């Protein structure tokens, strides 16, 4: 699910000791640099050009071990925790289970007027702290009573069912693509919506596609267009997988045809599939689209097409996100559940069911099967 940005804490009152603040900021900066730069030669090994290049490559691999969005989130988690520690007159290093437990308590029940965070966000913050401490060679024990018991209590007292985004149903996606123009930008956006829907793709998977294998260093996969449809090879969060998108019943709603039209008129035969266009919308540029464009596109076309017009505009915007495409496919494809699970790249059928907003929950009736 998509995460929403939390309100930033209020600015602290200025300390009476400016020299202490300056010293503390310097120490935090040095520690942060040390944590973000964990790969180095052993002290007893002399440096050389070859070894230095290996160190740089090792740093690149270490950075690539987690997604860029995850790296940014973990960096923000550490910055927030370090600032909270400073306000409490303590140091984030070495790790203190007691202080981490108090920090989690503060997030769940703040006393400074800021809104409490959801249990999922608190879990994510703790994961960010655990990752940062591990990078600094000082791992924390999440099962320590000061951490584990507090988190268990927070879950028991504050946990709520997840808020799910609305699924985009077949009639919705048809209405959304119908409101797009037939200029170059419209062809691109139509291909994005239809491909994302038919493939059950995440928004990051959509924009990370290249035309061919190994076209760009930041590629997240590539496409192969065949007579029967398109095969997408994706490097997703769960590993490499292939997604097959068959041709539709009409060209108007066929995702493969929409892809072909966009690539043809945009004159794209190498590099990113979905790129920005010039201001007048008549020329395709080189820059890859951001995944945020997919979310904005969904919200814009939802409004233009009149979906859920019974609700105020802000409520309609809040109902839909990039995940609405995946939820739409999972909710609408009337095939065996295992095929939907494979298409979405889920490790379990239970995860797939979370995306199914409408399904026959009683297709398998265990009550009757038990002879009752």
């Amino acid at each position: 699910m998509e995460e929403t940005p939390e309100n930033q804490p209020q600015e602290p009152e200025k300390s009476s000791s400016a020299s202490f603040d300056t010293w503390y900021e310097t120490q935090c900066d040095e520690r942060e640099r040390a944590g973000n730069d964990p790969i180095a030669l052993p002290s007893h090994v002399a440096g050389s050009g070859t070894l230095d290049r290996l160190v740089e490559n090792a740093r690149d691999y270490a950075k690539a071990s987690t997604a860029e969005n995850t790296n940014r989130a973990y960096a923000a988690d550490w910055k927030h925790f370090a600032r909270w520690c400073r306000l409490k007159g303590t140091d984030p290093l070495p790790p203190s289970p007691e202080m981490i437990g108090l920090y989690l308590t503060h997030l769940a029940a703040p006393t400074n007027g800021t809104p409490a965070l959801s249990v999922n966000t608190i879990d994510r913050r703790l994961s960010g702290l655990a990752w940062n401490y591990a990078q600094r060679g000082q791992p924390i024990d999440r099962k320590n009573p000061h951490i584990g018991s507090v988190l268990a209590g927070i879950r028991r007292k504050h946990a709520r069912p997840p808020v799910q985004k609305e699924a985009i149903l077949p009639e919705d996606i048809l209405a959304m693509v119908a409101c797009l123009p037939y200029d170059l930008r419209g062809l691109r956006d139509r291909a994005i919506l239809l491909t994302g829907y038919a493939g059950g793709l995440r928004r990051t998977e959509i924009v990370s596609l290249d035309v061919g294998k190994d076209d760009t260093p930041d590629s997240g996969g590539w496409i192969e267009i065949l007579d029967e449809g398109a095969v997408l090879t994706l490097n997703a969060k769960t590993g490499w997988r292939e997604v097959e998108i068959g041709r539709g019943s009409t060209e108007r709603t066929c995702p493969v045809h929409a892809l072909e039209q966009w690539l043809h008129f945009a004159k794209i035969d190498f590099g990113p599939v979905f790129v920005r266009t010039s201001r007048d919308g008549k020329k395709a540029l080189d820059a890859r689209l951001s995944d945020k464009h997919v979310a904005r596109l969904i919200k814009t076309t939802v409004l233009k097409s009149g979906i859920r017009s019974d609700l105020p505009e802000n409520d309609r915007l809040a109902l839909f996100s990039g995940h609405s495409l995946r939820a739409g496919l999972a909710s609408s494809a009337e095939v065996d559940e295992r095929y939907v699970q494979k298409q979405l790249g889920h490790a379990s059928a239970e995860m797939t069911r979370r995306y199914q907003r409408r399904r026959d929950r009683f297709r398998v009736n265990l009550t009757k099967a038990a002879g009752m």
Side-chain angles (χ1 to χ4, degrees), residues 166-170 197 323-333 355 357-358:
E166 193 91 353
I168 293 174
L169 302 178
Y197 187 84
H323 262 53
S324 295
L325 295 177
R326 285 167 65 78
L329 179 73
S331 303
S332 305
Y355 282 76
R357 305 296 188 262
R358 62 179 190 184

Side-chain angles (χ1 to χ4, degrees), residues 265-286:
F265 287 102
K267 300 178 181 178
I268 297 174
D269 57 10
F270 182 86
V273 172
F274 296 113
V275 296
R276 300 180 183 276
T277 60
S278 57
R279 190 176 295 275
D280 59 9
K282 295 181 179 180
K283 181 182 178 182
L285 306 178
D286 295 332

Side-chain angles (χ1 to χ4, degrees), residues 15 20-21 23-24 81-92 99:
S15 170
F20 173 80
D21 278 355
W23 172 85
Y24 191 89
F81 175 64
R83 184 171 180 270
W84 180 84
C85 286
R86 184 185 68 168
L87 293 175
K88 304 305 177 186
T90 187
D91 194 320
M99 291 306 298

Side-chain angles (χ1 to χ4, degrees), residues 185-217:
R185 188 175 295 147
L187 291 177
R188 179 199 65 193
D189 290 344
R190 186 174 284 101
I192 287 175
L193 290 177
L194 291 175
T195 303
Y197 187 84
L201 305 179
R202 301 174 179 88
R203 64 186 193 182
T204 53
E205 293 172 344
I206 297 173
V207 299
S208 67
L209 284 170
D210 276 4
V211 176
K213 183 180 179 181
D214 299 328
D215 278 0
T216 64

Side-chain angles (χ1 to χ4, degrees), residues 3 6 66-81 103 121 124-129 131-132:
E3 294 187 351
E6 279 71 46
T66 51
E68 185 178 347
N69 287 344
T70 303
N71 289 332
R72 284 197 295 264
Y74 285 174
D77 293 339
W78 179 258
K79 184 177 181 180
H80 187 273
F81 175 64
Y103 175 66
T121 303
R124 210 290 317 286
R125 289 278 179 94
L126 179 57
S127 296
L129 295 186
W131 184 89
N132 276 282

Side-chain angles (χ1 to χ4, degrees), residues 62-235:
K63 185 177 180 181
S65 64
T66 51
E68 185 178 347
N69 287 344
T70 303
N71 289 332
R72 284 197 295 264
Y74 285 174
D77 293 339
W78 179 258
K79 184 177 181 180
H80 187 273
F81 175 64
R83 184 171 180 270
W84 180 84
C85 286
R86 184 185 68 168
L87 293 175
K88 304 305 177 186
T90 187
D91 194 320
L93 292 172
S96 164
E98 294 84 356
M99 291 306 298
I100 294 174
L102 292 178
Y103 175 66
L104 300 180
T105 303
H106 164 76
L107 297 179
T111 57
N112 59 354
T114 59
L117 301 186
S118 69
V119 174
N120 285 341
T121 303
I122 294 173
D123 256 329
R124 210 290 317 286
R125 289 278 179 94
L126 179 57
S127 296
L129 295 186
W131 184 89
N132 276 282
Y133 276 122
Q135 297 306 301
R136 290 161 170 80
Q138 301 183 29
I140 61 173
D141 179 11
R142 296 181 60 152
K143 294 182 180 180
N144 183 288
H146 293 286
I147 300 175
S149 298
V150 169
L151 187 59
I154 291 172
R155 288 190 183 122
R156 187 177 182 86
K157 188 171 182 179
H158 298 293
R160 298 289 184 272
V163 178
Q164 295 183 318
K165 294 298 182 179
E166 193 91 353
I168 293 174
L169 302 178
E171 58 271 22
D172 298 330
I173 195 70
L174 295 181
M176 290 164 66
V177 298
C179 69
L180 292 171
Y182 281 89
D183 59 4
L184 197 59
R185 188 175 295 147
L187 291 177
R188 179 199 65 193
D189 290 344
R190 186 174 284 101
I192 287 175
L193 290 177
L194 291 175
T195 303
Y197 187 84
L201 305 179
R202 301 174 179 88
R203 64 186 193 182
T204 53
E205 293 172 344
I206 297 173
V207 299
S208 67
L209 284 170
D210 276 4
V211 176
K213 183 180 179 181
D214 299 328
D215 278 0
T216 64
D218 60 341
S219 170
W222 64 92
I223 63 173
E224 183 182 5
I225 297 180
L226 308 172
D227 291 339
E228 298 84 2
V231 178
L232 279 54
T233 304
L234 301 171
N235 186 9

